Amino acid sequence: MRRIFFWLLLFVSVACVGTAVAHEPNAVSVIVDTDAGLDDIRAIALLAQSGDFSLVAVVTSDGSCTPEAGARNVRRALRALGLADVPVGVGEPLDAPAPFWRPMSESMGWTTAEASDKTGEPERFPSAISVIARTLQVSETPVVYLCLGPLTNLAAALRSEAVVQQHIGIVYYSGSLPDARPLSWNTERDISAASFVFSADIPLRAVRLPDDALPRFDADLLENLRRIDTPAARFVASIHEDPRVLALVREGHFRCWDETAALALIVPGVVEYDSVSAAKVRIATGLAAGGEGDALRYWYTALLSGDPSVSVGGRKPVIMARYPVSPDLLQEDVRKLAPAIIERHGLEEWHAAFLTNELHRHLGAYSLIGAKMGIRAREILGAGVDELSVVSYTGSDPPLSCLTDGLQVATGASLGRGAITVDSKRAEPAAMFISGSRRITLRLSPEIVAQIEADIKDAIARCGNLTPAYWESVRDMSLGYWLEMDRSRIFIEDAE
């Protein structure tokens, strides 16, 4: 139903734009309008990684970069992202002072990116208006217009090309309303263009939140991206390696500015809106409750990781198109912690723990620890799913035996495959993992075991044993373990 709603939004004249956009399996076409600041380049990388959207054109405006310099930088980014065929158009310069950060914006982070086409000659770009009009004319469906800079190009295109208003389904704009106080930088940069576009008969979402409401693009987030082995993640990390950029990252200068508008498009429900102007225009009022800023940080990791099957040992879904991560697909208590869990422990552990919990039929400490243990063993042995044999030392009595469910899911060594056995003579939270001639045994540290035993004893004292209240308490404590327990620190490793 949500998918149907999105296409209704694009195909008809909308009287009321809904608060969340869902995506068709067939990619929705998007034109990106950018002044090519670093946050814009990050936004383009995030959009390029979303299988639900297709980047069909990019046009540049006068802002952080001149339109020409911005077009060159955008072309470099598109090449790095495998999108070299996407057309790029150049907007008109504005009669306005250059921002003080322009010299760094035009050069920052491009030391590792391709600087010219294969002939060595500077690339010549068509006008932004011609690219917008041509892209819309050939599109069989309405196009989303994502504006990450001033609205100069869109206003000019609306004034001169009738096809523009007919074929744009919705505009996502990283900026404030023209009468807002204070004005956002993108709006103030070309206030007349903003006023014209906001008065046009086009559904529009204005996504500009105060800096203190946005998470930082900081050293921790950058380090997370460096650990992701995909071209898009490597590219985003590389454009922050310039010493000037790194200094700003470490100072906490960067926020998730213009990329928040991109994420509002890509991720249903990540931003909340109020209506103005008879609901044609919706203005962002804040990040969605529950995930808040952590949700935006999470999506950097989730989107730039791409298909989990591309990583060594990654688990590709068999029936599902992708693993559930959208807030509306998760139970409320999990929804609040999911972004932080994924950011802290990664998608691979999320996938394993997600399936473990469904298999195990309740959230429990030892089943989750089994998932963490299996992932950790695969990391140490460099093994993929279905590449290990496992001996579980948990015995067959709960709660220790629950650990075996997590081991099966995380390693693929299931009972049905005959790749896992249970040593019934032992009863400890430990397992041996075998990969060819290599073996390693992982044991849960005694301190963690003591913590779990104390927490369970306390739950029984407060709630009774195996009562509904007891299981609620176990669920709460297990969610805490899931978030807080680092798989690289909670096990004792014995290599053989």
Side-chain angles (χ1 to χ4, degrees), residues 349-467:
E349 183 179 305
W350 169 263
H351 299 156
F354 171 87
L355 292 177
T356 294
N357 289 321
E358 294 300 325
L359 168 69
H360 196 62
R361 302 303 300 145
H362 78 89
L363 258 166
Y366 281 109
S367 58
L368 281 167
I369 288 169
K372 289 176 180 282
M373 182 182 285
I375 297 295
R376 181 59 181 158
R378 284 178 39 216
E379 288 174 337
I380 295 170
L381 296 173
V385 175
D386 305 332
E387 294 180 4
L388 295 178
S389 296
V390 181
V391 179
S392 172
Y393 295 139
T394 63
S396 55
D397 294 325
L400 281 183
S401 61
C402 300
L403 188 141
T404 301
D405 280 352
L407 294 177
Q408 292 184 88
V409 172
T411 63
S414 66
L415 289 169
R417 290 175 177 269
I420 188 170
T421 57
V422 177
D423 186 341
S424 59
K425 298 178 182 178
R426 305 170 68 165
E428 60 175 314
M432 179 172 64
F433 303 87
I434 305 165
S435 176
S437 60
R438 299 180 64 198
R439 300 186 177 200
I440 187 169
T441 297
L442 298 184
R443 293 180 173 83
L444 187 62
S445 74
E447 293 80 9
I448 301 296
V449 174
Q451 177 187 346
I452 294 172
E453 290 178 349
D455 288 343
I456 290 176
K457 183 178 180 180
D458 177 68
I460 292 173
R462 289 184 292 103
C463 308
N465 195 12
L466 305 182
T467 64

Side-chain angles (χ1 to χ4, degrees), residues 12 37 81 125 183 221 305 327 455 461 478 480 491:
V12 301
L81 294 168
F125 299 96
L183 289 172
L221 182 53
S305 292
D455 288 343
S478 298
F491 301 115

Side-chain angles (χ1 to χ4, degrees), residues 44-370:
I44 290 172
L46 293 170
L47 184 67
Q49 286 299 104
S50 172
D52 295 322
F53 296 91
S54 175
L55 184 57
V56 294
V58 181
V59 295
T60 60
S61 59
D62 186 311
S64 292
C65 299
T66 66
E68 282 285 348
R72 291 193 295 271
N73 283 346
V74 165
R75 176 57 71 202
R76 295 167 185 167
L78 293 175
R79 288 189 181 114
L81 294 168
L83 298 171
D85 293 335
V86 173
V88 177
V90 177
E92 293 294 325
L94 293 171
D95 184 17
F100 69 85
W101 62 86
R102 176 173 285 179
M104 189 165 62
S105 292
E106 292 185 346
S107 62
M108 66 166 61
W110 297 115
T111 54
T112 60
E114 188 177 355
S116 63
D117 64 20
K118 294 181 180 180
T119 67
E121 296 295 328
E123 185 171 0
R124 300 184 183 279
F125 299 96
S127 72
I129 293 177
S130 67
V131 169
I132 293 168
R134 184 167 61 249
T135 301
L136 293 175
Q137 285 170 347
V138 301
S139 178
E140 297 180 356
T141 60
V143 174
V144 174
Y145 196 96
L146 174 62
C147 187
L148 306 173
L151 284 161
T152 309
N153 293 323
L154 182 54
L158 285 168
R159 288 187 175 106
S160 63
E161 300 286 347
V163 70
V164 174
Q165 187 154 338
Q166 297 169 7
H167 289 273
I168 288 182
I170 189 170
V171 175
Y172 277 75
Y173 172 50
S174 180
S176 64
L177 273 66
D179 58 355
R181 293 295 180 269
L183 289 172
S184 69
W185 192 84
N186 284 340
T187 299
E188 188 173 16
R189 183 70 178 169
D190 194 342
I191 186 69
S192 63
S195 298
F196 183 84
V197 171
F198 273 85
S199 66
D201 189 28
I202 300 176
L204 188 149
R205 293 188 180 185
V207 184
R208 184 56 177 157
L209 301 175
D211 277 7
D212 58 8
L214 297 173
R216 297 183 188 276
F217 188 98
D218 56 16
D220 288 341
L221 182 53
L222 180 58
E223 185 57 34
N224 286 340
L225 298 186
R226 287 170 173 157
R227 291 195 289 262
I228 300 174
D229 189 22
T230 65
R234 289 196 296 270
F235 167 70
V236 172
S238 74
I239 62 175
H240 294 80
E241 296 302 329
D242 182 287
R244 295 167 297 176
V245 180
L246 276 177
L248 293 174
V249 170
R250 290 165 181 157
E251 292 169 7
H253 167 76
F254 293 111
R255 297 276 182 168
C256 297
W257 288 311
D258 288 346
E259 60 261 58
T260 297
L263 289 169
L265 169 62
I266 298 167
V267 186
V270 76
V271 170
E272 294 180 338
Y273 300 89
D274 274 345
S275 299
V276 297
S277 184
K280 274 290 185 180
V281 174
R282 304 185 73 90
I283 180 170
T285 57
L287 301 178
E292 298 177 338
D294 285 341
L296 295 187
R297 291 172 64 91
Y298 151 66
W299 279 105
Y300 270 94
T301 305
L303 287 168
L304 295 178
S305 292
D307 186 335
S309 68
V310 302
S311 62
V312 175
R315 178 182 296 276
K316 189 173 184 177
V318 177
I319 303 298
M320 301 178 290
R322 59 183 60 87
Y323 286 88
V325 291
S326 296
D328 60 330
L329 297 178
L330 304 175
Q331 297 284 0
E332 183 177 358
D333 54 352
V334 179
R335 183 186 313 157
K336 294 176 180 178
L337 295 179
I341 290 172
I342 296 170
E343 183 179 359
R344 183 171 299 181
H345 304 302
L347 281 172
E348 183 66 7
E349 183 179 305
W350 169 263
H351 299 156
F354 171 87
L355 292 177
T356 294
N357 289 321
E358 294 300 325
L359 168 69
H360 196 62
R361 302 303 300 145
H362 78 89
L363 258 166
Y366 281 109
S367 58
L368 281 167
I369 288 169

